[in-house]
Amino acid sequence: MDLGIPFVRRTIDPSERPDTPYLVDRFGRVATDLRVSLIDKCNLRCTYCMPAEGLPWLKRDEMLDTDEMNRLIRIAVEELGVTTVRFTGGEPLLRQDLVDVIAATSSLPSRPTTSLTTNGINLGGFAEKLVTAGLNRVNVSLDTLDGAVFKELTRRDRMQDVLDGLAAAKTMKLEPVKVNAVLMRGINDHEAPELLRYCIERGYQLRFIEQMPLDAQHGWERSAMITADEILEMLGEEFTLTPDVAERGSAPAERWLVDGGPATVGVIASVTRPFCAECDRTRLTADGQLRSCLFSTTETDLRGPMREGATDAELIRLWQGEMWAKAAGHGMDSGEFAQPSRPMSAIGG
């Protein structure tokens, strides 16, 4: 599929949209995976994400409240065909009503599969509550096993809390427990085999993620990024990797069997091996904005219409329209690509 340019809001004729309630786009894709950013705040200051002093956070009245968030998730699941909901941030465990939102989502008649992406710092104290609320699994960010490097990368000395959070998730059977790692040249790239060995020994599923142009500082440089090919080469020095023959579907990670399996490792190569043609995601930010792509520079507001009394049917039409106008791809290989103004912490992973 030719990759489109998401920041160009072309005039799209809504009358061409097929008569279906589902979140279809012009390229035959159907969005069934909702990514919900619950909060933009984070208790880490990762160097590849935000400055040391943090960012201007959303004010409370700018964020969707509990009822508003639950309403939009209900509409997505019960009316628009969403079958999986991933809660993200910022750091979602900082949102006070997180457990209530998960419980409401899990109790919907068309119960979706639910997951949570977290930095893991508070996961140890929340794991049992998350299970009780109905959460199915977690993704935990962990870029290094070296305490000094962790402190350098995150500007916080909290690595042991993350390791404890992972162990708690495993104990509470929030499985598969997935670990997300970003490698940075000259900082932690030498740790790739060690991270994989650590995860295999503990029954976690490791996913390496290419560093993406979503930092608040807009300092990302493609030449500095560790590519998927480099990651596989590093791992290949200590492990035998063979492609996983299981159907990938819309999963963002390409998977390899490690030493014949059953353990696997994945690489999410959004930059060098884009998977836009299979994308099935739709995104809702903490302040009620719809995004059809992680790299979009345009959004559709749901918060304003909702607070002005919009009906479910009106909100549904707005959501359907946003997804119908979705571009073919992120266009990162185009000279016209523009980095979104919002950083990852405000968009959600």
Side-chain angles (χ1 to χ4, degrees):
M1 178 183 289
D2 182 36
L3 297 185
I5 310 300
F7 63 89
V8 177
R9 178 65 82 175
R10 299 181 178 88
T11 301
I12 305 299
D13 185 355
S15 68
E16 297 177 356
R17 186 182 180 280
D19 184 18
T20 174
Y22 300 122
L23 296 174
V24 298
D25 66 30
R26 294 165 297 137
F27 304 95
R29 297 168 298 195
V30 182
T32 58
D33 183 340
L34 172 61
R35 304 296 173 95
V36 181
S37 177
L38 293 173
I39 192 169
D40 61 330
K41 292 181 181 178
C42 188
N43 44 7
L44 295 181
R45 297 291 182 270
C46 296
T47 56
Y48 56 83
C49 185
M50 65 178 69
E53 65 273 15
L55 296 166
W57 310 123
L58 291 169
K59 297 177 182 177
R60 182 181 291 270
D61 63 350
E62 294 176 324
M63 297 173 58
L64 298 176
D65 63 27
T66 308
D67 290 340
E68 290 169 336
M69 186 68 74
N70 288 341
R71 180 186 179 189
L72 291 179
I73 294 173
R74 174 185 57 76
I75 288 173
V77 173
E78 298 298 327
E79 305 293 341
L80 297 174
V82 163
T83 58
T84 61
V85 179
R86 169 88 64 87
F87 298 102
T88 70
E91 173 45 48
L93 291 176
L94 294 180
R95 178 154 175 152
Q96 294 182 350
D97 63 354
L98 167 66
V99 171
D100 295 331
V101 172
I102 292 174
T105 302
S106 300
S107 65
L108 290 170
S110 302
R111 178 175 177 168
T113 300
T114 55
S115 61
L116 177 82
T117 296
T118 172
N119 62 31
I121 287 179
N122 295 332
L123 184 55
F126 268 90
E128 186 173 358
K129 297 176 185 177
L130 296 174
V131 171
T132 301
L135 189 72
N136 295 118
R137 65 173 190 81
V138 293
N139 286 42
V140 180
S141 299
L142 178 65
D143 302 323
T144 177
L145 295 169
D146 184 317
V149 175
F150 185 95
K151 186 175 181 180
E152 176 187 356
L153 282 175
T154 67
R155 302 186 177 100
R156 301 289 187 271
D157 189 11
R158 303 293 299 274
M159 189 180 80
Q160 189 58 52
D161 292 319
V162 179
L163 301 182
D164 292 344
L166 278 166
K170 184 70 174 177
T171 298
M172 295 304 301
K173 301 188 183 304
L174 284 167
E175 295 181 304
V177 177
K178 296 186 178 181
V179 174
N180 298 334
V182 176
L183 298 180
M184 283 142 287
R185 201 173 301 280
I187 299 175
N188 67 335
D189 50 334
H190 62 286
E191 292 190 66
E194 183 182 2
L195 281 164
L196 179 53
R197 191 174 296 107
Y198 181 89
C199 289
I200 290 175
E201 290 173 352
R202 289 158 180 79
Y204 309 147
Q205 293 186 5
L206 178 61
R207 300 290 184 265
F208 290 102
I209 304 176
E210 287 183 339
Q211 186 181 356
M212 293 177 283
L214 291 169
D215 59 308
Q217 306 94 309
H218 285 216
W220 179 88
E221 294 183 3
R222 187 179 183 123
S223 60
M225 178 190 70
I226 304 292
T227 67
D229 287 344
E230 291 176 284
I231 293 168
L232 294 172
E233 183 178 355
M234 295 173 191
L235 296 176
E237 294 177 359
E238 297 192 29
F239 303 94
T240 299
L241 303 181
T242 53
D244 189 347
V245 296
E247 185 175 351
R248 178 181 177 184
S250 60
E254 289 185 82
R255 296 193 306 176
W256 282 263
L257 297 175
V258 180
D259 293 338
T264 64
V265 63
V267 179
I268 300 176
S270 300
V271 178
T272 64
R273 302 181 184 183
F275 39 88
C276 303
E278 304 299 330
C279 181
D280 66 348
R281 285 169 285 290
T282 182
R283 298 175 180 277
L284 176 66
T285 66
D287 57 346
Q289 307 302 305
L290 284 177
R291 299 174 65 88
S292 63
C293 174
L294 187 62
F295 298 98
S296 293
T297 57
T298 58
E299 300 173 330
T300 294
D301 178 33
L302 291 187
R303 182 192 65 195
M306 185 163 49
R307 291 181 178 178
E308 292 169 2
T311 64
D312 282 4
E314 290 169 331
L315 296 174
I316 286 169
R317 283 194 293 272
L318 287 171
W319 208 321
Q320 291 169 333
E322 171 66 22
M323 299 310 296
W324 179 243
K326 182 174 181 171
H330 56 49
M332 205 173 295
D333 286 329
S334 166
E336 296 180 301
F337 175 77
Q339 181 173 339
S341 57
R342 288 204 199 218
M344 176 70 88
S345 60
I347 298 172

PDB file of all heavy atoms in Angstrom, residues 5-9 213-214 218 289-300 322 327 329-330 336-342 347:
ATOM      1  N   ILE A   5       0.126  10.755   3.359  1.00  0.00           N
ATOM      2  CA  ILE A   5       0.681  11.793   4.215  1.00  0.00           C
ATOM      3  C   ILE A   5      -0.404  12.224   5.192  1.00  0.00           C
ATOM      4  O   ILE A   5      -1.369  12.881   4.809  1.00  0.00           O
ATOM      5  CB  ILE A   5       1.158  13.002   3.389  1.00  0.00           C
ATOM      6  CG1 ILE A   5       2.037  12.542   2.240  1.00  0.00           C
ATOM      7  CG2 ILE A   5       1.862  14.006   4.280  1.00  0.00           C
ATOM      8  CD1 ILE A   5       3.273  11.797   2.662  1.00  0.00           C
ATOM      9  N   PRO A   6      -0.316  11.857   6.473  1.00  0.00           N
ATOM     10  CA  PRO A   6      -1.438  12.053   7.384  1.00  0.00           C
ATOM     11  C   PRO A   6      -1.708  13.494   7.752  1.00  0.00           C
ATOM     12  O   PRO A   6      -2.794  13.822   8.182  1.00  0.00           O
ATOM     13  CB  PRO A   6      -1.022  11.244   8.622  1.00  0.00           C
ATOM     14  CG  PRO A   6       0.458  11.219   8.570  1.00  0.00           C
ATOM     15  CD  PRO A   6       0.811  11.179   7.105  1.00  0.00           C
ATOM     16  N   PHE A   7      -0.702  14.394   7.585  1.00  0.00           N
ATOM     17  CA  PHE A   7      -0.934  15.743   8.053  1.00  0.00           C
ATOM     18  C   PHE A   7      -1.684  16.595   7.026  1.00  0.00           C
ATOM     19  O   PHE A   7      -2.046  17.715   7.281  1.00  0.00           O
ATOM     20  CB  PHE A   7       0.386  16.422   8.437  1.00  0.00           C
ATOM     21  CG  PHE A   7       1.351  16.606   7.296  1.00  0.00           C
ATOM     22  CD1 PHE A   7       1.300  17.742   6.515  1.00  0.00           C
ATOM     23  CD2 PHE A   7       2.309  15.645   7.033  1.00  0.00           C
ATOM     24  CE1 PHE A   7       2.190  17.917   5.478  1.00  0.00           C
ATOM     25  CE2 PHE A   7       3.197  15.827   5.992  1.00  0.00           C
ATOM     26  CZ  PHE A   7       3.141  16.954   5.207  1.00  0.00           C
ATOM     27  N   VAL A   8      -1.898  16.053   5.834  1.00  0.00           N
ATOM     28  CA  VAL A   8      -2.667  16.773   4.825  1.00  0.00           C
ATOM     29  C   VAL A   8      -4.132  16.353   4.941  1.00  0.00           C
ATOM     30  O   VAL A   8      -4.483  15.220   4.666  1.00  0.00           O
ATOM     31  CB  VAL A   8      -2.143  16.463   3.407  1.00  0.00           C
ATOM     32  CG1 VAL A   8      -3.018  17.171   2.389  1.00  0.00           C
ATOM     33  CG2 VAL A   8      -0.691  16.897   3.270  1.00  0.00           C
ATOM     34  N   ARG A   9      -4.976  17.274   5.383  1.00  0.00           N
ATOM     35  CA  ARG A   9      -6.395  16.971   5.535  1.00  0.00           C
ATOM     36  C   ARG A   9      -7.085  17.231   4.202  1.00  0.00           C
ATOM     37  O   ARG A   9      -7.597  18.300   3.941  1.00  0.00           O
ATOM     38  CB  ARG A   9      -7.006  17.814   6.659  1.00  0.00           C
ATOM     39  CG  ARG A   9      -8.506  17.583   6.847  1.00  0.00           C
ATOM     40  CD  ARG A   9      -8.814  16.189   7.307  1.00  0.00           C
ATOM     41  NE  ARG A   9      -8.649  16.060   8.729  1.00  0.00           N
ATOM     42  CZ  ARG A   9      -8.952  14.964   9.421  1.00  0.00           C
ATOM     43  NH1 ARG A   9      -9.440  13.921   8.803  1.00  0.00           N
ATOM     44  NH2 ARG A   9      -8.734  14.908  10.713  1.00  0.00           N
ATOM     45  N   PRO A 213       9.590   9.422  16.039  1.00  0.00           N
ATOM     46  CA  PRO A 213       9.619  10.882  16.151  1.00  0.00           C
ATOM     47  C   PRO A 213       8.395  11.414  16.882  1.00  0.00           C
ATOM     48  O   PRO A 213       7.518  12.054  16.297  1.00  0.00           O
ATOM     49  CB  PRO A 213       9.658  11.344  14.693  1.00  0.00           C
ATOM     50  CG  PRO A 213       8.980  10.255  13.943  1.00  0.00           C
ATOM     51  CD  PRO A 213       9.330   8.982  14.654  1.00  0.00           C
ATOM     52  N   LEU A 214       8.334  11.148  18.185  1.00  0.00           N
ATOM     53  CA  LEU A 214       7.214  11.590  19.007  1.00  0.00           C
ATOM     54  C   LEU A 214       7.696  12.225  20.306  1.00  0.00           C
ATOM     55  O   LEU A 214       6.948  12.300  21.281  1.00  0.00           O
ATOM     56  CB  LEU A 214       6.281  10.407  19.309  1.00  0.00           C
ATOM     57  CG  LEU A 214       5.499   9.860  18.113  1.00  0.00           C
ATOM     58  CD1 LEU A 214       4.827   8.545  18.462  1.00  0.00           C
ATOM     59  CD2 LEU A 214       4.466  10.874  17.627  1.00  0.00           C
ATOM     60  N   HIS A 218      11.309  17.386  19.883  1.00  0.00           N
ATOM     61  CA  HIS A 218      11.479  17.298  18.430  1.00  0.00           C
ATOM     62  C   HIS A 218      12.962  17.166  18.073  1.00  0.00           C
ATOM     63  O   HIS A 218      13.444  17.765  17.103  1.00  0.00           O
ATOM     64  CB  HIS A 218      10.856  18.515  17.731  1.00  0.00           C
ATOM     65  CG  HIS A 218       9.357  18.467  17.690  1.00  0.00           C
ATOM     66  ND1 HIS A 218       8.627  18.926  16.627  1.00  0.00           N
ATOM     67  CD2 HIS A 218       8.443  18.004  18.582  1.00  0.00           C
ATOM     68  CE1 HIS A 218       7.337  18.757  16.858  1.00  0.00           C
ATOM     69  NE2 HIS A 218       7.209  18.203  18.048  1.00  0.00           N
ATOM     70  N   GLN A 289      -9.981  14.035  22.219  1.00  0.00           N
ATOM     71  CA  GLN A 289      -9.712  14.227  20.798  1.00  0.00           C
ATOM     72  C   GLN A 289      -9.529  12.863  20.123  1.00  0.00           C
ATOM     73  O   GLN A 289      -8.852  11.984  20.658  1.00  0.00           O
ATOM     74  CB  GLN A 289      -8.463  15.075  20.590  1.00  0.00           C
ATOM     75  CG  GLN A 289      -8.475  16.395  21.338  1.00  0.00           C
ATOM     76  CD  GLN A 289      -9.661  17.267  20.979  1.00  0.00           C
ATOM     77  OE1 GLN A 289      -9.893  17.568  19.799  1.00  0.00           O
ATOM     78  NE2 GLN A 289     -10.428  17.681  21.974  1.00  0.00           N
ATOM     79  N   LEU A 290     -10.112  12.708  18.943  1.00  0.00           N
ATOM     80  CA  LEU A 290      -9.945  11.491  18.165  1.00  0.00           C
ATOM     81  C   LEU A 290      -8.771  11.640  17.218  1.00  0.00           C
ATOM     82  O   LEU A 290      -8.575  12.680  16.603  1.00  0.00           O
ATOM     83  CB  LEU A 290     -11.198  11.224  17.322  1.00  0.00           C
ATOM     84  CG  LEU A 290     -12.431  10.669  18.008  1.00  0.00           C
ATOM     85  CD1 LEU A 290     -13.553  10.556  16.990  1.00  0.00           C
ATOM     86  CD2 LEU A 290     -12.136   9.316  18.635  1.00  0.00           C
ATOM     87  N   ARG A 291      -7.989  10.555  17.109  1.00  0.00           N
ATOM     88  CA  ARG A 291      -6.879  10.514  16.165  1.00  0.00           C
ATOM     89  C   ARG A 291      -6.965   9.197  15.393  1.00  0.00           C
ATOM     90  O   ARG A 291      -7.183   8.139  15.988  1.00  0.00           O
ATOM     91  CB  ARG A 291      -5.531  10.591  16.894  1.00  0.00           C
ATOM     92  CG  ARG A 291      -5.343  11.866  17.704  1.00  0.00           C
ATOM     93  CD  ARG A 291      -4.060  11.815  18.510  1.00  0.00           C
ATOM     94  NE  ARG A 291      -2.890  11.792  17.649  1.00  0.00           N
ATOM     95  CZ  ARG A 291      -2.277  12.884  17.190  1.00  0.00           C
ATOM     96  NH1 ARG A 291      -2.715  14.074  17.516  1.00  0.00           N
ATOM     97  NH2 ARG A 291      -1.215  12.774  16.412  1.00  0.00           N
ATOM     98  N   SER A 292      -6.781   9.281  14.094  1.00  0.00           N
ATOM     99  CA  SER A 292      -6.836   8.068  13.277  1.00  0.00           C
ATOM    100  C   SER A 292      -5.479   7.406  13.148  1.00  0.00           C
ATOM    101  O   SER A 292      -5.386   6.257  12.717  1.00  0.00           O
ATOM    102  CB  SER A 292      -7.384   8.391  11.885  1.00  0.00           C
ATOM    103  OG  SER A 292      -6.523   9.294  11.206  1.00  0.00           O
ATOM    104  N   CYS A 293      -4.411   8.110  13.525  1.00  0.00           N
ATOM    105  CA  CYS A 293      -3.043   7.602  13.381  1.00  0.00           C
ATOM    106  C   CYS A 293      -2.182   8.182  14.487  1.00  0.00           C
ATOM    107  O   CYS A 293      -2.386   9.325  14.907  1.00  0.00           O
ATOM    108  CB  CYS A 293      -2.488   7.988  12.008  1.00  0.00           C
ATOM    109  SG  CYS A 293      -0.738   7.568  11.732  1.00  0.00           S
ATOM    110  N   LEU A 294      -1.237   7.392  14.950  1.00  0.00           N
ATOM    111  CA  LEU A 294      -0.298   7.868  15.969  1.00  0.00           C
ATOM    112  C   LEU A 294       0.409   9.140  15.515  1.00  0.00           C
ATOM    113  O   LEU A 294       0.730  10.014  16.318  1.00  0.00           O
ATOM    114  CB  LEU A 294       0.726   6.770  16.261  1.00  0.00           C
ATOM    115  CG  LEU A 294       1.706   6.983  17.408  1.00  0.00           C
ATOM    116  CD1 LEU A 294       0.987   7.116  18.735  1.00  0.00           C
ATOM    117  CD2 LEU A 294       2.698   5.810  17.462  1.00  0.00           C
ATOM    118  N   PHE A 295       0.644   9.260  14.200  1.00  0.00           N
ATOM    119  CA  PHE A 295       1.415  10.374  13.665  1.00  0.00           C
ATOM    120  C   PHE A 295       0.537  11.466  13.051  1.00  0.00           C
ATOM    121  O   PHE A 295       1.050  12.360  12.363  1.00  0.00           O
ATOM    122  CB  PHE A 295       2.409   9.858  12.622  1.00  0.00           C
ATOM    123  CG  PHE A 295       3.411   8.906  13.192  1.00  0.00           C
ATOM    124  CD1 PHE A 295       3.232   7.535  13.072  1.00  0.00           C
ATOM    125  CD2 PHE A 295       4.517   9.359  13.892  1.00  0.00           C
ATOM    126  CE1 PHE A 295       4.143   6.642  13.607  1.00  0.00           C
ATOM    127  CE2 PHE A 295       5.435   8.473  14.438  1.00  0.00           C
ATOM    128  CZ  PHE A 295       5.247   7.110  14.300  1.00  0.00           C
ATOM    129  N   SER A 296      -0.754  11.420  13.295  1.00  0.00           N
ATOM    130  CA  SER A 296      -1.633  12.463  12.764  1.00  0.00           C
ATOM    131  C   SER A 296      -1.270  13.831  13.331  1.00  0.00           C
ATOM    132  O   SER A 296      -0.837  13.941  14.477  1.00  0.00           O
ATOM    133  CB  SER A 296      -3.092  12.162  13.125  1.00  0.00           C
ATOM    134  OG  SER A 296      -3.569  11.016  12.481  1.00  0.00           O
ATOM    135  N   THR A 297      -1.484  14.854  12.535  1.00  0.00           N
ATOM    136  CA  THR A 297      -1.354  16.217  13.041  1.00  0.00           C
ATOM    137  C   THR A 297      -2.709  16.919  13.043  1.00  0.00           C
ATOM    138  O   THR A 297      -2.794  18.123  13.243  1.00  0.00           O
ATOM    139  CB  THR A 297      -0.347  17.028  12.201  1.00  0.00           C
ATOM    140  OG1 THR A 297      -0.764  17.020  10.841  1.00  0.00           O
ATOM    141  CG2 THR A 297       1.045  16.427  12.316  1.00  0.00           C
ATOM    142  N   THR A 298      -3.754  16.166  12.792  1.00  0.00           N
ATOM    143  CA  THR A 298      -5.115  16.679  12.889  1.00  0.00           C
ATOM    144  C   THR A 298      -5.913  15.757  13.812  1.00  0.00           C
ATOM    145  O   THR A 298      -5.594  14.584  13.961  1.00  0.00           O
ATOM    146  CB  THR A 298      -5.797  16.735  11.516  1.00  0.00           C
ATOM    147  OG1 THR A 298      -5.798  15.422  10.936  1.00  0.00           O
ATOM    148  CG2 THR A 298      -5.076  17.699  10.588  1.00  0.00           C
ATOM    149  N   GLU A 299      -6.935  16.321  14.430  1.00  0.00           N
ATOM    150  CA  GLU A 299      -7.762  15.573  15.374  1.00  0.00           C
ATOM    151  C   GLU A 299      -9.224  15.988  15.197  1.00  0.00           C
ATOM    152  O   GLU A 299      -9.517  17.049  14.642  1.00  0.00           O
ATOM    153  CB  GLU A 299      -7.334  15.858  16.816  1.00  0.00           C
ATOM    154  CG  GLU A 299      -5.899  15.499  17.134  1.00  0.00           C
ATOM    155  CD  GLU A 299      -5.461  15.950  18.521  1.00  0.00           C
ATOM    156  OE1 GLU A 299      -5.987  16.977  19.008  1.00  0.00           O
ATOM    157  OE2 GLU A 299      -4.590  15.278  19.106  1.00  0.00           O
ATOM    158  N   THR A 300     -10.116  15.160  15.692  1.00  0.00           N
ATOM    159  CA  THR A 300     -11.543  15.474  15.732  1.00  0.00           C
ATOM    160  C   THR A 300     -11.968  15.572  17.185  1.00  0.00           C
ATOM    161  O   THR A 300     -11.756  14.646  17.963  1.00  0.00           O
ATOM    162  CB  THR A 300     -12.379  14.400  15.010  1.00  0.00           C
ATOM    163  OG1 THR A 300     -12.071  14.424  13.611  1.00  0.00           O
ATOM    164  CG2 THR A 300     -13.871  14.653  15.192  1.00  0.00           C
ATOM    165  N   GLU A 322     -13.929  10.692  11.179  1.00  0.00           N
ATOM    166  CA  GLU A 322     -12.484  10.757  11.431  1.00  0.00           C
ATOM    167  C   GLU A 322     -11.778   9.547  10.851  1.00  0.00           C
ATOM    168  O   GLU A 322     -10.727   9.656  10.212  1.00  0.00           O
ATOM    169  CB  GLU A 322     -12.228  10.848  12.936  1.00  0.00           C
ATOM    170  CG  GLU A 322     -10.773  10.695  13.354  1.00  0.00           C
ATOM    171  CD  GLU A 322      -9.869  11.814  12.880  1.00  0.00           C
ATOM    172  OE1 GLU A 322     -10.373  12.916  12.582  1.00  0.00           O
ATOM    173  OE2 GLU A 322      -8.630  11.594  12.814  1.00  0.00           O
ATOM    174  N   ALA A 327      -5.530   8.487   6.491  1.00  0.00           N
ATOM    175  CA  ALA A 327      -4.599   8.363   5.368  1.00  0.00           C
ATOM    176  C   ALA A 327      -4.145   6.922   5.215  1.00  0.00           C
ATOM    177  O   ALA A 327      -4.280   6.099   6.128  1.00  0.00           O
ATOM    178  CB  ALA A 327      -3.392   9.269   5.586  1.00  0.00           C
ATOM    179  N   GLY A 329      -1.136   5.835   5.135  1.00  0.00           N
ATOM    180  CA  GLY A 329       0.009   5.530   5.989  1.00  0.00           C
ATOM    181  C   GLY A 329       0.600   6.786   6.584  1.00  0.00           C
ATOM    182  O   GLY A 329       0.155   7.899   6.300  1.00  0.00           O
ATOM    183  N   HIS A 330       1.621   6.602   7.428  1.00  0.00           N
ATOM    184  CA  HIS A 330       2.182   7.759   8.137  1.00  0.00           C
ATOM    185  C   HIS A 330       3.095   8.624   7.280  1.00  0.00           C
ATOM    186  O   HIS A 330       3.423   9.744   7.654  1.00  0.00           O
ATOM    187  CB  HIS A 330       2.893   7.329   9.413  1.00  0.00           C
ATOM    188  CG  HIS A 330       3.975   6.307   9.251  1.00  0.00           C
ATOM    189  ND1 HIS A 330       4.978   6.417   8.321  1.00  0.00           N
ATOM    190  CD2 HIS A 330       4.215   5.148   9.928  1.00  0.00           C
ATOM    191  CE1 HIS A 330       5.804   5.392   8.432  1.00  0.00           C
ATOM    192  NE2 HIS A 330       5.353   4.588   9.387  1.00  0.00           N
ATOM    193  N   GLU A 336       7.777  15.260   2.936  1.00  0.00           N
ATOM    194  CA  GLU A 336       6.761  16.161   3.473  1.00  0.00           C
ATOM    195  C   GLU A 336       6.318  15.776   4.880  1.00  0.00           C
ATOM    196  O   GLU A 336       5.453  16.424   5.452  1.00  0.00           O
ATOM    197  CB  GLU A 336       5.543  16.168   2.549  1.00  0.00           C
ATOM    198  CG  GLU A 336       5.810  16.715   1.162  1.00  0.00           C
ATOM    199  CD  GLU A 336       4.560  16.686   0.303  1.00  0.00           C
ATOM    200  OE1 GLU A 336       4.009  15.574   0.105  1.00  0.00           O
ATOM    201  OE2 GLU A 336       4.130  17.745  -0.151  1.00  0.00           O
ATOM    202  N   PHE A 337       6.897  14.704   5.417  1.00  0.00           N
ATOM    203  CA  PHE A 337       6.457  14.254   6.739  1.00  0.00           C
ATOM    204  C   PHE A 337       6.678  15.348   7.782  1.00  0.00           C
ATOM    205  O   PHE A 337       7.730  15.999   7.819  1.00  0.00           O
ATOM    206  CB  PHE A 337       7.222  12.999   7.156  1.00  0.00           C
ATOM    207  CG  PHE A 337       6.900  12.544   8.556  1.00  0.00           C
ATOM    208  CD1 PHE A 337       5.727  11.871   8.831  1.00  0.00           C
ATOM    209  CD2 PHE A 337       7.767  12.816   9.610  1.00  0.00           C
ATOM    210  CE1 PHE A 337       5.422  11.461  10.114  1.00  0.00           C
ATOM    211  CE2 PHE A 337       7.473  12.409  10.902  1.00  0.00           C
ATOM    212  CZ  PHE A 337       6.294  11.728  11.154  1.00  0.00           C
ATOM    213  N   ALA A 338       5.695  15.534   8.639  1.00  0.00           N
ATOM    214  CA  ALA A 338       5.797  16.502   9.731  1.00  0.00           C
ATOM    215  C   ALA A 338       5.506  15.793  11.044  1.00  0.00           C
ATOM    216  O   ALA A 338       4.521  15.067  11.151  1.00  0.00           O
ATOM    217  CB  ALA A 338       4.806  17.647   9.525  1.00  0.00           C
ATOM    218  N   GLN A 339       6.352  16.009  12.032  1.00  0.00           N
ATOM    219  CA  GLN A 339       6.141  15.377  13.335  1.00  0.00           C
ATOM    220  C   GLN A 339       4.934  15.993  14.009  1.00  0.00           C
ATOM    221  O   GLN A 339       4.742  17.219  13.976  1.00  0.00           O
ATOM    222  CB  GLN A 339       7.381  15.563  14.218  1.00  0.00           C
ATOM    223  CG  GLN A 339       7.258  14.916  15.580  1.00  0.00           C
ATOM    224  CD  GLN A 339       8.565  14.973  16.379  1.00  0.00           C
ATOM    225  OE1 GLN A 339       9.630  15.134  15.803  1.00  0.00           O
ATOM    226  NE2 GLN A 339       8.448  14.850  17.688  1.00  0.00           N
ATOM    227  N   PRO A 340       4.086  15.188  14.631  1.00  0.00           N
ATOM    228  CA  PRO A 340       2.932  15.732  15.345  1.00  0.00           C
ATOM    229  C   PRO A 340       3.374  16.714  16.433  1.00  0.00           C
ATOM    230  O   PRO A 340       4.441  16.579  17.024  1.00  0.00           O
ATOM    231  CB  PRO A 340       2.282  14.486  15.969  1.00  0.00           C
ATOM    232  CG  PRO A 340       2.756  13.349  15.141  1.00  0.00           C
ATOM    233  CD  PRO A 340       4.135  13.717  14.690  1.00  0.00           C
ATOM    234  N   SER A 341       2.525  17.715  16.681  1.00  0.00           N
ATOM    235  CA  SER A 341       2.859  18.690  17.719  1.00  0.00           C
ATOM    236  C   SER A 341       2.752  18.074  19.107  1.00  0.00           C
ATOM    237  O   SER A 341       3.476  18.452  20.022  1.00  0.00           O
ATOM    238  CB  SER A 341       1.924  19.895  17.610  1.00  0.00           C
ATOM    239  OG  SER A 341       0.562  19.498  17.711  1.00  0.00           O
ATOM    240  N   ARG A 342       1.860  17.103  19.262  1.00  0.00           N
ATOM    241  CA  ARG A 342       1.724  16.426  20.556  1.00  0.00           C
ATOM    242  C   ARG A 342       2.793  15.368  20.703  1.00  0.00           C
ATOM    243  O   ARG A 342       3.062  14.597  19.762  1.00  0.00           O
ATOM    244  CB  ARG A 342       0.369  15.745  20.672  1.00  0.00           C
ATOM    245  CG  ARG A 342      -0.815  16.646  20.846  1.00  0.00           C
ATOM    246  CD  ARG A 342      -1.901  15.851  21.527  1.00  0.00           C
ATOM    247  NE  ARG A 342      -3.219  16.414  21.385  1.00  0.00           N
ATOM    248  CZ  ARG A 342      -4.124  16.400  22.361  1.00  0.00           C
ATOM    249  NH1 ARG A 342      -3.813  15.870  23.541  1.00  0.00           N
ATOM    250  NH2 ARG A 342      -5.315  16.896  22.180  1.00  0.00           N
ATOM    251  N   ILE A 347      -0.435  11.692  23.409  1.00  0.00           N
ATOM    252  CA  ILE A 347      -1.185  10.916  22.423  1.00  0.00           C
ATOM    253  C   ILE A 347      -1.592   9.566  22.967  1.00  0.00           C
ATOM    254  O   ILE A 347      -2.702   9.088  22.791  1.00  0.00           O
ATOM    255  CB  ILE A 347      -0.356  10.720  21.129  1.00  0.00           C
ATOM    256  CG1 ILE A 347      -0.061  12.082  20.492  1.00  0.00           C
ATOM    257  CG2 ILE A 347      -1.095   9.823  20.152  1.00  0.00           C
ATOM    258  CD1 ILE A 347       0.907  12.000  19.342  1.00  0.00           C
TER     259      ILE A 347
END
